[in-house]
Amino acid sequence: MLLPDLTPRPGGGLLRPRALLETFEAITPAFLAERGLRGLLLDLDNTLIPYGSYEDRAEVIAWVAELRRAGIKLYLLSNATARRAKFWLDKLDFVGVGMAGKPFQRAYKQALAQMQLTAPQVGMVGDQLFTDVLGGNIAGLYTIMVHPISNNALPHTHLARRLERLVLKRYGHDWYGHDRRQKR
């Protein structure tokens, strides 16, 4: 079994996202084309949908449709329950998995194989540094971290957010210092 290459990338480490964006909606077909990306692995909770929500999100459905019209392949890679992931996969009409076990690599490899794309052609979009960004960087993906949609999350996620602030500040980002979404 080959171990992943844990050598930090030039200009950053395994915990450094390639892009920091306010929202997933900033990811357009043009943004992806400029970076040579043909597919996206997408986190669910607090990236596309507020944690625990089952309410319709027209803006997510419209964004997904725009990307699909542009030929972008999409795959849900979520640590949410399989039941919750299936609910949203049925609504969003693309494939993926819940209980992915991010940042461990098994689900990333399966996603790339199913998408029939190589790691440099795929971006990982998520709101968490220690799952989405770390796992995506180990897999060799273009990592895109977005602000969490809401502040509601599991207790261990609140602790992780504190650690994320420290890491992001190390890279020169005071992203959470002025987070307009924290009040929601």
Side-chain angles (χ1 to χ4, degrees):
M1 178 172 94
L2 292 174
L3 295 176
D5 179 8
L6 299 180
T7 307
R9 296 179 345 272
L14 289 173
L15 292 174
R16 187 174 198 165
R18 299 277 301 272
L20 288 166
L21 303 174
E22 278 291 317
T23 175
F24 66 87
E25 293 168 296
I27 303 167
T28 63
F31 175 94
L32 297 172
E34 288 169 8
R35 290 154 181 83
L37 301 174
R38 297 179 46 215
L40 290 176
L41 302 183
L42 300 164
D43 176 52
L44 180 64
D45 286 320
N46 279 334
T47 297
L48 298 178
I49 307 294
Y51 173 77
S53 174
Y54 286 89
E55 294 178 23
D56 278 345
R57 300 273 300 191
E59 69 276 16
V60 176
I61 293 168
W63 178 75
V64 164
E66 177 188 13
L67 293 180
R68 291 182 73 185
R69 278 192 303 275
I72 304 300
K73 293 182 179 184
L74 303 174
Y75 191 97
L76 185 74
L77 195 64
S78 175
N79 284 347
T81 65
R83 180 176 162 226
R84 180 166 164 70
K86 182 178 178 351
F87 174 87
W88 284 106
L89 287 168
D90 289 346
K91 286 210 176 264
L92 299 172
D93 193 30
F94 60 89
V95 297
V97 296
M99 301 297 288
K102 295 179 291 182
F104 299 107
Q105 293 299 291
R106 182 177 176 198
Y108 289 90
K109 290 175 186 175
Q110 289 173 340
L112 290 172
Q114 188 160 354
M115 295 172 83
Q116 298 179 347
L117 295 173
T118 63
Q121 297 174 304
V122 178
M124 174 69 218
V125 181
D127 68 300
Q128 291 193 49
L129 203 57
F130 301 109
T131 56
D132 306 313
V133 173
L134 176 61
N137 281 338
I138 291 171
L141 307 175
Y142 186 96
T143 51
I144 304 166
M145 187 172 179
V146 297
H147 270 277
I149 290 173
S150 67
N151 201 19
N152 65 337
L154 296 168
H156 68 273
T157 305
H158 290 290
L159 174 62
R161 298 270 188 237
R162 289 181 181 174
L163 295 172
E164 286 174 354
R165 286 184 193 110
L166 295 173
V167 172
L168 290 172
K169 279 185 181 182
R170 180 174 180 254
Y171 292 127
H173 302 288
D174 189 18
W175 200 20
Y176 288 100
H178 302 95
D179 185 355
R180 63 179 170 75
R181 296 171 186 253
Q182 292 294 333
K183 295 181 178 121
R184 287 187 187 177

